Amino acid sequence: MQQEAHTIIQTLKSKGLRVTPQRFAVYANLLSRADHPTVEIILADLNKDFPVSSQATIYSSLQALREVGLVREVLLEEGVCRYDAKIEPHHHFCCHTCGAIEDIAWETFQCIDMQKLGPGMRGESYEVIVRGWCDRCNLE
């Protein structure tokens, strides 16, 4: 844990961010999970033992982390912004029934050809969102 804390501090500093307890806590929280939480989930998680953060503080910490490329916003459903500290390219799977979100390796969809876009369109990036039923809900 001590080494992880040191690594997080060094990462924040390397991006030119001032290391505040809130930024540290938000980034450490995101690094420790794979569920793509909302601000409300992060806030509840961080305040579970001792209420110290506000929603505004979480938002400002996430914005700072996003601006330097340590965190990305994940928009998987309309009106719900989720966050992910896994910044390398990957896709997502969303379960219709339970709402589970899982990462899909980037290589899974190598056949997408951005050169086939319509005339005058130049694609910069893409992300595939697969919607369906996870292994737990598919059995029901």
Side-chain angles (χ1 to χ4, degrees), residues 24 73 89 100:
F24 179 91
E73 290 181 340

Side-chain angles (χ1 to χ4, degrees), residues 35-54:
D35 62 344
H36 308 77
T38 61
V39 168
E40 293 78 15
I41 292 170
I42 296 168
L43 179 65
D45 204 31
L46 294 180
N47 285 342
K48 153 175 60 177
D49 297 323
F50 184 68
V52 293
S53 290
S54 68

Side-chain angles (χ1 to χ4, degrees), residues 59-89:
Y59 272 116
S60 65
S61 295
L62 286 167
Q63 181 178 355
L65 292 167
R66 189 174 46 86
E67 286 173 357
V68 297
L70 292 176
V71 167
R72 71 180 193 155
E73 290 181 340
V74 181
L75 305 170
L76 302 173
E77 54 194 296
E78 192 173 332
V80 179
C81 187
R82 297 178 174 277
Y83 295 89
D84 192 357
K86 183 178 177 184
I87 54 173
E88 60 272 359

Side-chain angles (χ1 to χ4, degrees), residues 6-19 70:
H6 177 73
T7 302
I8 291 170
I9 290 168
Q10 290 309 114
T11 301
L12 293 172
K13 286 181 177 179
S14 75
K15 294 292 186 172
L17 288 177
R18 200 166 44 90
V19 181
L70 292 176

